[in-house]
Amino acid sequence: MKIAMGNDHSAVELKNAIQAYVESKGYEVINFGTDSTESCDYPVYGEKVGRAVASGEADYGIAICGTGIGIGIAAGKVKGVRVCTCSEPYSARLSRMHNNTNVLTFGARVIGVEMAKMIVDEWLDNAYEGGRHQRRVDQLAEIESRG
Ligand code: RB5
């Protein structure tokens, strides 16, 4: 399983820690993020992660900026991407089970590394339930196709 990771300048340290963590869980990481702390623009990296997931180059995406919000908005602009931006594990878990999210984002200026690991665990270790949720996920795609 491959995970596309991306980040802006605010999240280099957290990206490195989370990359090492998901690799230790057996995932392969494709790093689309910056490795520099020089100021840069989060939409660039959110789009890269979104496109990698939408194209199938990666199975999932994890993107980090200061809040997780900007990079999540950017990734979510790519057709087929469903983003979960969260600061606690419960929402991460339910976003997989009910919303079939394929990109997770969080904020390096919002949560610490141990919380980020708990969020990642809940997100990666829980599967989409399908069933009654599929109708709603299909409706999300219909909204997207209406532009
Ligand atoms: C960068 O200063 C900051 O705006 C960015 O990392 C992010 O928080 C945007 O949503």
Side-chain angles (χ1 to χ4, degrees), residues 24-102:
S24 79
K25 285 170 73 78
Y27 293 89
E28 183 183 329
V29 170
I30 312 170
N31 176 22
F32 289 101
T34 182
D35 291 312
S36 164
T37 53
E38 195 174 317
S39 183
C40 62
D41 299 329
Y42 60 80
V44 171
Y45 303 98
E47 181 181 6
K48 285 179 193 285
V49 170
R51 292 210 182 278
V53 172
S55 71
E57 181 181 0
D59 300 282
Y60 298 110
I62 298 177
I64 319 169
C65 64
T67 58
I69 293 172
I71 207 161
I73 293 172
K77 295 287 182 192
V78 178
K79 193 171 182 180
V81 172
R82 290 174 301 280
V83 177
C84 168
T85 300
C86 66
S87 304
E88 39 72 32
Y90 177 80
S91 300
R93 175 191 180 114
L94 270 291
S95 86
R96 283 290 307 132
M97 294 169 68
H98 292 187
N99 314 113
N100 199 15
T101 53
N102 50 15

Side-chain angles (χ1 to χ4, degrees), residues 68-144:
I69 293 172
I71 207 161
I73 293 172
K77 295 287 182 192
V78 178
K79 193 171 182 180
V81 172
R82 290 174 301 280
V83 177
C84 168
T85 300
C86 66
S87 304
E88 39 72 32
Y90 177 80
S91 300
R93 175 191 180 114
L94 270 291
S95 86
R96 283 290 307 132
M97 294 169 68
H98 292 187
N99 314 113
N100 199 15
T101 53
N102 50 15
V103 172
L104 169 68
T105 77
F106 43 81
R109 294 172 179 159
V110 179
I111 59 170
V113 65
E114 295 307 323
M115 179 62 83
K117 288 178 185 175
M118 290 178 76
I119 290 169
V120 165
D121 282 341
E122 289 297 319
W123 194 69
L124 290 176
D125 297 351
N126 283 285
Y128 177 50
E129 286 180 345
R132 72 185 192 280
H133 302 296
Q134 189 56 50
R135 182 178 72 249
R136 297 150 186 170
V137 171
D138 288 343
Q139 288 170 1
L140 297 176
E142 286 163 20
I143 294 169
E144 203 171 53

